Amino acid sequence: MSFHSQVIYQIYPKSFYSASGGSTGDIRGIIEKVPYVASLGVDWVWFNPFFASPQRDNGYDISDYYAINPDLGTMADVEEMITAFNAEGINVMFDMVLNHVSTEHEWFKRALAGEREYWDYFYIRPAQISEDGSQLPPTNWESKFGGNAWVRFGDYTDEQGTPLYYLALYDRTQADVNWHHEPARRALFDVVNFWYDKGVRGFRFDVINVIGKDTVLRDAPAGVIDKTLYTDTPVVHTFIQDLNRSSFGPREGTVTVGEMSSTSIENCVGYSHPAQEQLDMVFSFHHLKVDYDQGQKWSKVPFRFAELKNILNDWALGMQAGGGWNALFWNNHDQPRALNRFGDPQRYRTESATMLASVIHLLRGTPYVYMGEEIGMIDPVYEGIEDYVDVEAHNAYDMLLQQGVSADRAFEIVASKARDNSRTPMQWTSDPDVGFGTSKPWLAPAVASDAHTGAGISVADEERPGSILSYYRRLIALRKEYEIIAKGSYESFALDHERVFGYERVLGEQRLLVLNNFFGEENTISVPKAYALSKVLISNYEDADEQLAAGVALTATADEFELQLKPYQSLALLIG
């Protein structure tokens, strides 16, 4: 079975389940929940990093790629977990953070200790000297987490006595690795091969399109954050091809996905086209920036529906035309819950959760399900910034205060976009501790009940027919059952409709029309007469067959008929 018909489930280990009863999730907790994951029908499980780490960036600051964070388990636990998933026919995908390492990593510590051969593993550059003689960082690049991207490299200086800095595009404790240095590159390839030999068959490469900084680093124009200086540069493709040839490429049964920051369709076609021998698919994030105010993440505005549907449409058509492949998702460990952003968790939690699921699972690409998404989890309701753990949230809050934003408004903005919103503990029960473990979780749980219906938001509450969970299971099964979903082409449909995102999938004589109402009011859409005798493949409302028949009977003309879509309804019609 190819990845075209497969579905990938993402687990954030720290927040999944604690078998030991501790405050954080652990590997043995994941092993206990293997039967649940298998019940979803997924083919892969992607794990966020659980390597040794000082946890400055929740595990993305790796200090040892060959060791397991002792808070989460042991190497033996990981090996047992891989075997347990494989026994259920599920492959394991690891998160490979190869752009940077923790400053606690051996390479950086040896560099800082004065071993000059390790200086070349990083971007270490002298300060700039301005016209007035003052010292500035090597470039004016901005860190992704706020502030300048350069950090003083101990007390070292160059031959002229100018202070040295190391590049840290993310947190100051995450030093960017110099991929131009072949020994560093080869050492990273060895990491991938080590884990393949342990039974890992999938690899998700974190921010892989920023590994191609130039050998000579230049300032961005004054007052501009110019990400093109280090993003999607031509050498990135060369580096990934080398990674492919030297690790997973010659191996059997691998699936790879690259996380692409601030990327383009053209580049992502290159990264994922089979002939390029780079990756199988790509994550892009443009569709998750439609609730940014003028491109600024730390803002709070309603999402722009027309922009959202146009981005989804453009990427579907563009990647298809170029022979590339999309990784499809709404949620992950870095994003607030999609239900809060694009749905209505207060009045229509079930309907909007299942509608959003339909959009992704019936598109051309490989769907990813982030833990808790399949039970309709929503953002937490915290009282203050101290409830958040993530360094990015605290940096953003401080930045907003410095910009003159009031404390209440700054918290409101951060609460709408914080990465911790998706990192709250998986809700196994609707008890106050959400069935996570016996100790207080490392991060306070989100709301454990539906404010409108009073129903619990948990796996236990969702194990029933007609639930969000059962709907996800059906969607996952349909991708395997109907080749048109896995391999059909994509065509736009009613792109100018102000409330509905529609599209068609086509394979031979078959056509699948997917209609998604993104709003909490009924909306009418015209449908080609060819669908009058179609099969309702799936809908998140139970009376869809009667709804279709009524629309045809009341409004059919020679060419089309009208359907009245209910609030947050999704409806998929199959002909042929």
Side-chain angles (χ1 to χ4, degrees):
M1 184 185 299
S2 76
F3 58 81
H4 302 88
S5 58
Q6 295 179 336
V7 177
I8 300 173
Y9 188 75
Q10 181 188 356
I11 289 178
Y12 193 73
K14 192 174 181 179
S15 298
F16 195 59
Y17 179 65
S18 174
S20 65
S23 62
T24 61
D26 48 41
I27 306 301
R28 301 222 63 81
I30 295 171
I31 294 171
E32 284 191 26
K33 298 298 185 181
V34 167
Y36 168 74
V37 177
S39 78
L40 301 175
V42 298
D43 307 277
W44 293 81
V45 177
W46 154 35
F47 296 99
N48 295 94
F50 40 64
F51 307 115
S53 164
Q55 296 294 308
R56 175 69 180 175
D57 186 24
N58 275 293
Y60 281 82
D61 49 330
I62 296 171
S63 57
D64 188 345
Y65 292 100
Y66 301 102
I68 305 303
N69 178 352
D71 292 337
L72 300 182
T74 66
M75 183 66 78
D77 292 334
V78 172
E79 292 169 346
E80 182 181 341
M81 180 192 72
I82 293 170
T83 300
F85 275 112
N86 290 169
E88 295 284 355
I90 299 172
N91 281 304
V92 168
M93 175 180 285
F94 270 17
D95 214 318
M96 293 283 108
V97 187
L98 306 184
N99 174 70
H100 47 261
V101 297
S102 166
T103 52
E104 295 296 313
H105 192 282
E106 178 190 10
W107 300 344
F108 192 84
K109 290 197 293 186
R110 293 180 74 169
L112 198 58
E115 295 188 44
R116 294 300 179 98
E117 65 183 287
Y118 283 95
W119 285 25
D120 290 335
Y121 278 58
F122 305 97
Y123 291 92
I124 297 174
R125 300 289 189 271
Q128 295 187 74
I129 307 300
S130 66
E131 292 182 0
D132 63 4
S134 59
Q135 296 175 351
L136 301 172
T139 70
N140 60 357
W141 294 3
E142 287 287 316
S143 163
K144 302 274 188 172
F145 290 172
N148 191 271
W150 293 92
V151 184
R152 188 75 170 83
F153 183 58
D155 295 323
Y156 291 104
T157 63
D158 66 6
E159 294 82 356
Q160 288 75 42
T162 306
L164 296 179
Y165 289 76
Y166 66 89
L167 179 64
L169 273 180
Y170 293 85
D171 185 70
R172 60 186 294 112
T173 64
Q174 293 168 301
D176 283 56
V177 176
N178 177 14
W179 274 64
H180 293 279
H181 186 55
E182 186 169 355
R185 209 163 63 243
R186 296 294 158 198
L188 294 174
F189 300 166
D190 288 344
V191 170
V192 178
N193 286 320
F194 172 85
W195 285 108
Y196 183 93
D197 291 340
K198 288 284 187 183
V200 177
R201 293 294 178 267
F203 300 98
R204 180 263 192 190
F205 295 104
D206 184 63
V207 295
I208 195 68
N209 66 327
V210 303
I211 60 175
K213 296 91 173 174
D214 205 343
T215 52
V216 177
L217 307 181
R218 299 176 289 109
D219 271 341
V224 175
I225 299 176
D226 188 356
K227 297 177 182 178
T228 63
L229 293 169
Y230 53 78
T231 304
D232 281 340
T233 58
V235 75
V236 173
H237 296 276
T238 303
F239 285 155
I240 296 178
Q241 286 171 336
D242 193 10
L243 169 64
N244 180 311
R245 287 191 299 267
S246 303
S247 58
F248 59 83
R251 308 277 203 157
E252 291 293 329
T254 60
V255 167
T256 56
V257 57
E259 181 195 29
M260 303 299 168
S261 172
S262 302
T263 191
S264 67
I265 294 174
E266 179 184 8
N267 274 292
C268 285
V269 165
Y271 294 133
S272 62
H273 193 293
Q276 295 297 317
E277 297 184 336
Q278 296 186 47
L279 304 170
D280 291 318
M281 65 189 87
V282 293
F283 284 118
S284 64
F285 297 89
H286 300 281
H287 66 297
L288 296 179
K289 298 179 180 180
V290 297
D291 56 355
Y292 289 14
D293 187 12
Q294 298 182 15
Q296 297 301 310
K297 172 179 178 176
W298 299 108
S299 58
K300 186 179 180 183
V301 295
F303 81 97
R304 298 176 293 277
F305 173 62
E307 184 178 341
L308 173 65
K309 65 188 294 188
N310 281 318
I311 290 171
L312 292 173
N313 180 73
D314 290 348
W315 274 81
L317 289 175
M319 292 291 279
Q320 175 174 274
W325 195 255
N326 280 316
L328 306 169
F329 71 106
W330 287 118
N331 299 277
N332 67 24
H333 61 288
D334 281 337
Q335 300 290 333
R337 294 282 179 180
L339 252 176
N340 289 77
R341 301 174 77 175
F342 309 119
D344 184 345
Q346 299 300 319
R347 297 183 302 155
Y348 295 106
R349 187 180 66 89
T350 296
E351 293 82 0
S352 48
T354 48
M355 181 276 292
L356 289 169
S358 296
V359 171
I360 292 300
H361 283 259
L362 301 176
L363 269 175
R364 179 184 182 273
T366 297
Y368 285 66
V369 179
Y370 179 69
M371 64 178 214
E373 173 185 338
E374 76 277 15
I375 59 170
M377 281 181 61
I378 59 178
D379 288 347
V381 181
Y382 290 157
E383 294 183 358
I385 192 64
E386 63 278 359
D387 291 324
Y388 286 97
V389 175
D390 185 32
V391 60
E392 186 190 38
H394 286 270
N395 288 349
Y397 181 75
D398 292 341
M399 176 194 71
L400 291 167
L401 293 182
Q402 291 168 11
Q403 292 174 355
V405 178
S406 71
D408 287 347
R409 179 59 177 169
F411 177 68
E412 183 183 3
I413 292 170
V414 170
S416 72
K417 295 285 171 54
R419 300 190 300 181
D420 278 345
N421 288 353
S422 61
R423 298 175 180 181
T424 57
M426 178 70 174
Q427 294 171 194
W428 299 101
T429 70
S430 51
D431 299 324
D433 65 358
V434 298
F436 177 73
T438 57
S439 299
K440 181 180 179 181
W442 72 279
L443 186 63
V447 178
S449 62
D450 188 310
H452 186 62
T453 66
I457 303 176
S458 73
V459 172
D461 289 288
E462 285 285 319
E463 288 284 8
R464 55 181 170 78
S467 66
I468 299 171
L469 180 57
S470 65
Y471 194 84
Y472 266 83
R473 286 174 172 150
R474 180 62 180 143
L475 282 171
I476 292 167
L478 284 175
R479 178 165 284 266
K480 297 172 174 58
E481 186 178 348
Y482 288 87
E483 198 172 43
I484 190 172
I485 300 174
K487 297 182 179 179
S489 62
Y490 170 94
E491 292 184 6
S492 306
F493 181 82
L495 196 59
D496 58 350
H497 197 290
E498 295 181 353
R499 296 287 194 173
V500 175
F501 175 42
Y503 56 85
E504 288 185 282
R505 305 294 308 283
V506 181
L507 185 66
E509 298 299 314
Q510 283 191 319
R511 300 187 76 90
L512 178 67
L513 175 63
V514 183
L515 303 172
N516 304 285
N517 180 7
F518 266 76
F519 294 88
E521 303 83 29
E522 291 191 348
N523 283 290
T524 301
I525 188 166
S526 297
V527 176
K529 187 69 174 292
Y531 286 97
L533 298 177
S534 62
K535 171 184 178 180
V536 175
L537 189 63
I538 191 169
S539 175
N540 58 353
Y541 280 82
E542 292 183 357
D543 58 349
D545 287 304
E546 293 83 354
Q547 186 180 0
L548 174 63
V552 173
L554 287 175
T555 63
T557 66
D559 300 318
E560 60 187 22
F561 62 95
E562 288 189 346
L563 277 178
Q564 190 85 359
L565 296 179
K566 298 177 181 180
Y568 294 102
Q569 183 173 10
S570 183
L571 179 63
L573 304 175
L574 179 67
I575 54 176

